[in-house]
Amino acid sequence: MAASDKVQRARSAQIHPVQPPAAELGPMVSGLLEETALWQAFLGTHRRLVDRLADQMQTDHGLPLEWFDVLIHLADEPGARLRQRELRDRMLLSESGVSRMLTRMAASGLVERRPADDDRRGVELALTDAGAQALAAALESHRALVATSFTDRLTATDRLALEHILAKLTDPAEGS
């Protein structure tokens, strides 16, 4: 076998590693699930809480939870304005995902999209009066549901511990 063939096979093995037979996957998956049980519980709890909040927001106020989040971000800014890029980064959505959502929100009259004052290529968002009214109507029921589903279920000690844990998980200085 020529040296170039050996190099090619080695590269191919790195790109396309040999997969274990299906029969071997069961124990591998079981091991992974055992090792990540706390992580899976965290993700499941997060999903159930967010689903409950989203259902309440849609049922009580006709707002998707993501729209409520946009309104909160805008209302918290001076002049209730924010660059679309900054909003996208805060919400961890793709540019196209944010753009489509904001197009629907603008069509509903909750936000206004316009060229940014400092850079005409950028897009600035502004909270409209209708958006402010929708947010005001939803705030108290959202706050109450967060309290009954989350905050009120934790003791003061639990909350302090959770704050510490969350800070530890998000602080790169405390990494592995």
Side-chain angles (χ1 to χ4, degrees), residues 68-77 82 87 90-91:
F68 177 78
D69 196 24
V70 168
L71 297 176
I72 288 285
H73 283 292
L74 286 172
D76 195 39
E77 288 296 314
L82 189 62
L87 178 69
R90 288 181 185 186
M91 296 186 71

Side-chain angles (χ1 to χ4, degrees), residues 85-103:
R85 177 184 300 162
E86 191 174 339
L87 178 69
R88 178 202 65 208
D89 292 346
R90 288 181 185 186
M91 296 186 71
L92 304 175
L93 295 172
S94 69
E95 184 67 40
S96 62
V98 166
S99 185
R100 283 190 303 269
M101 177 178 57
L102 294 173
T103 297

Side-chain angles (χ1 to χ4, degrees), residues 14-28:
Q14 290 173 348
I15 295 170
H16 306 289
V18 176
Q19 299 297 316
E24 292 178 26
L25 288 176
M28 292 170 68

